[in-house]
Amino acid sequence: RGYEILALLVSGCIMIAAGTFLSPFHTSLFGLLMIGNILSFAYLGWSEGLILPVASGLLMVISMFTLHMSYGYFVETRGKKLLTGLFGQYVPPELVEEMSASPDDYSLNAESKELTVLFSDVREFTSISENLSPRDLAELMNDYLTPMTAVIHHAKGTIDKYMGDAIMAFWGAPLDDEAHAKNALLAAMSMLDELEIVNRKFQDKGWPAIEIGIGVHTGIMNVGNMGSEFRMAYTVLGDNVNLGSRIEGLTKVYGVDLVCSEDTVRLVPEFAYREIDRVRVKGKENPVTIFEPICLETNLTEIEKRELKLNSEALQYYREQKWKLAAASFHRLQDNSDKPIRYSIYLHRIEYFSANPPPSDWDGVFAHVTK
């Protein structure tokens, strides 16, 4: 009886420790080892004329093993379902799987951190929707939003929300991403490439091709589960989020598809950029320099290098109020550009400033009074 009590206590404590600190595989091996030890002690006792109890020890080991495995399975399954329910609508399934490996590291609680936000919007969507039936419009939106979302998910982005034809996404939460700015830019460029495929499908169906504008900005933002007692959403808030939205709106003004801020450029120096303007957006006092990402610096052609150099020179002349030199440079750029509107804006400004010189403390910043 004393042996049986001691064997139960020892095997029970060992199985508790094994189930707590070891992986399921190693716990299984440990369980088999314990069963082997119990049978070995019983055989040695029988060899010496002692009949030692076996069933109770085996039952203890098997019961403890089954209890640990069952508890671990149900707790892990419940944790994965909870994590999937919390983040499954925002991030791709493969990231949810990665998060489920350590669910305690992720939370919906609000926090402040550096993130990169992306806004995209379909241009002239009202005109497009007026010429389609409700069913065709719904199908068009599904066929557009699905591949765009896939691109964002592939780049480890988090979908914040769909706002009609607009998409809002961000990088850096809930999964930490040191390359959040780069991944956001790669996603934006891939969205423009994917749009060409989408438009070919639209044309096959007799639908109009669509154009989109994308704005990307990096900064400190508040991220977490926010809303009301009736509805909550995992989202980002703050001045930098608003600035990202304003930057997207500037794509229409300058006739470009993709615009990013100087804060994003600073974190992704391996890309080549065309500086567009130094602006003060509506609702913001501090100016921001905006850029158009071109490609990786190493992939620039000689023609693109000369164009970017001439663009920098033209902007420098403009800010130094050397109107004739600036106008000549912008005319050269306009004559060789497939998107001349970005340069015609400066030519109109130069024409105005030549007749109405700016004040002596003019800093070259253009203030936009509309969103």
Side-chain angles (χ1 to χ4, degrees), residues 351-369:
E351 183 179 357
Y352 174 80
F353 285 138
S354 297
N356 305 274
S360 57
D361 59 348
W362 182 66
D363 56 5
V365 175
F366 185 83
H368 289 271
V369 295

Side-chain angles (χ1 to χ4, degrees), residues 74-316:
F74 287 115
V75 167
E76 182 178 356
T77 301
R78 181 176 177 273
K80 285 186 176 181
K81 287 183 177 179
L82 178 62
L83 206 61
T84 302
L86 293 176
F87 294 108
Q89 59 181 317
Y90 304 111
V91 299
E94 56 268 23
L95 293 188
V96 176
E97 284 293 323
E98 182 179 337
M99 294 165 66
S100 65
S102 53
D104 293 337
D105 294 341
Y106 304 97
S107 170
L108 292 176
N109 295 330
E111 59 178 326
S112 180
K113 61 189 303 188
E114 185 182 66
L115 305 172
T116 298
V117 67
L118 176 150
F119 286 88
S120 75
D121 190 38
V122 177
R123 292 174 180 162
E124 305 297 333
F125 181 71
T126 302
S127 300
I128 295 173
S129 61
E130 288 176 347
N131 297 317
L132 294 174
S133 68
R135 177 173 295 182
D136 284 345
L137 181 61
E139 187 177 349
L140 179 144
M141 288 309 303
N142 291 337
D143 289 350
Y144 163 70
L145 291 174
T146 298
M148 296 298 112
T149 302
V151 167
I152 292 171
H153 279 176
H154 182 71
K156 299 182 179 180
T158 299
I159 294 292
D160 188 304
K161 60 176 70 73
Y162 303 121
M163 300 166 286
D165 58 298
I167 302 174
M168 177 181 173
F170 57 89
W171 280 256
L175 278 175
D176 290 333
D177 183 6
E178 293 183 357
H180 54 85
K182 180 179 180 180
N183 287 332
L185 280 184
L186 290 174
M189 293 179 170
S190 297
M191 288 171 68
L192 295 174
D193 292 337
E194 187 67 28
L195 184 64
E196 296 181 6
I197 300 174
V198 170
N199 277 331
R200 286 198 291 269
K201 294 179 180 178
F202 284 1
Q203 290 174 351
D204 292 339
K205 294 182 178 182
W207 295 341
I210 62 175
E211 295 182 2
I212 63 174
I214 304 175
V216 179
H217 174 57
T218 301
I220 300 298
M221 307 172 194
N222 295 316
V223 59
N225 212 29
M226 305 177 197
S228 68
E229 61 182 58
F230 301 102
R231 183 175 181 180
M232 302 290 286
Y234 188 73
T235 185
V236 288
L237 297 174
D239 285 343
N240 282 307
V241 179
N242 297 333
L243 180 54
S245 177
R246 299 288 189 271
I247 288 174
E248 183 277 318
L250 294 178
T251 59
K252 292 177 285 206
V253 176
Y254 293 95
V256 294
D257 300 323
L258 171 58
V259 173
C260 67
S261 69
E262 58 189 293
D263 299 288
T264 303
V265 170
R266 173 175 50 83
L267 294 180
V268 195
E270 58 267 37
F271 275 69
Y273 304 88
R274 179 186 291 107
E275 184 178 345
I276 297 176
D277 203 354
R278 190 176 298 154
V279 300
R280 186 177 290 107
V281 300
K282 181 177 174 59
K284 297 283 288 184
E285 292 297 325
N286 296 326
V288 59
T289 305
I290 55 175
F291 296 82
E292 179 186 11
I294 306 300
C295 62
L296 287 171
E297 187 83 39
T298 54
N299 294 339
L300 274 179
T301 64
E302 290 300 320
I303 295 176
E304 289 172 331
K305 289 179 181 179
R306 288 195 295 269
E307 181 192 352
L308 294 182
K309 182 180 179 181
L310 182 58
N311 184 77
S312 297
E313 291 175 353
L315 289 172
Q316 184 176 350

Side-chain angles (χ1 to χ4, degrees), residues 301-335:
T301 64
E302 290 300 320
I303 295 176
E304 289 172 331
K305 289 179 181 179
R306 288 195 295 269
E307 181 192 352
L308 294 182
K309 182 180 179 181
L310 182 58
N311 184 77
S312 297
E313 291 175 353
L315 289 172
Q316 184 176 350
Y317 292 144
Y318 170 77
R319 288 163 187 161
E320 293 175 354
Q321 303 184 36
K322 298 177 180 178
W323 307 126
K324 290 184 178 180
L325 291 174
S329 297
F330 281 122
H331 272 299
R332 288 175 57 193
L333 289 166
Q334 186 182 47
D335 293 340

Side-chain angles (χ1 to χ4, degrees), residues 8 11 35 38 54-66:
L8 291 175
S11 60
I35 291 174
I38 292 172
V54 176
S56 58
L58 294 178
L59 185 61
M60 171 63 78
V61 173
I62 294 173
S63 298
M64 293 296 293
F65 175 79
T66 303

